[in-house]
Amino acid sequence: MTATDLAPTALANGWAALYLLYGRIEAHIERALQSGHGLSVREYSLLDVLSRQHDGEGGHLQMREVAEAVVLSQSATTRLVSRLEDRGLLSRYLCPTDRRGIYTDVSDAGLELLKEARPTNDTALREALDEAARNPELAPLVKAVEGMDPARPNPGLLPAR
C-alpha cells in the first residue's frame, strides 16, 4: 500500500471542509451568544425553531420533530428543553388531541431573549463566514451558504406556515 492509496477522496475532502466550516462558525457564534446573552448555540437554535411554530394543522412540533430540527437525540433535546423550561424560557403542555404527545412553546421571556440575541447571532455568523471566505478551501462553501434561499429559513426542517 502506498501513501497515494491512503489519500482522501474528493468527497472526503469536501466533507472535511464542510465540517471545518461548521465547527468554526459554531464556535464563533457560541462565544458571542454565551458572552452576550447566556445562551448556547443549541439553546438559541431550540428557541428559534420553537418560535416558528404556529397554530393550525402541523403547526406545533412534537419532541421528535424538535430533536430533528436542532440535530440532537431525543434525550438530549428533552434535557435541553428542561433546562430552558427551568429558566422560564419555555413551557411544555400535553397535546389536546393525543394525551401521549407533549408540545413545547417559547414563553414571552424566551421570545424576548431570542429577539435580543438574534442580532448577536447574525453578526457572529457574518463574521465567521467572512473569516472563512478568506480560506480558499472554504470559500466555495461560504458562497453556497450565502446563496441559500431566504424564503426557506430551515429547508426541510419545519412545517410550512
Side-chain angles (χ1 to χ4, degrees), residues 22-86:
Y22 170 78
R24 287 183 179 182
I25 291 170
E26 183 179 48
H28 190 77
I29 294 173
E30 180 81 25
R31 286 189 299 274
L33 287 173
Q34 280 290 349
S35 66
H37 307 282
L39 282 174
S40 71
V41 169
R42 298 287 187 199
E43 291 167 338
Y44 176 88
S45 296
L46 180 63
L47 290 173
D48 183 52
V49 164
L50 293 175
S51 74
R52 297 169 194 254
Q53 296 182 121
H54 59 89
D55 290 331
E57 190 171 331
H60 279 77
L61 303 174
Q62 295 178 350
M63 290 301 286
R64 174 187 50 77
E65 295 168 311
V66 173
E68 289 174 12
V70 295
V71 193
L72 290 173
S73 68
Q74 280 192 263
S75 61
T77 301
T78 299
R79 288 190 302 273
L80 182 60
V81 165
S82 293
R83 282 197 311 271
L84 292 178
E85 187 177 33
D86 289 346

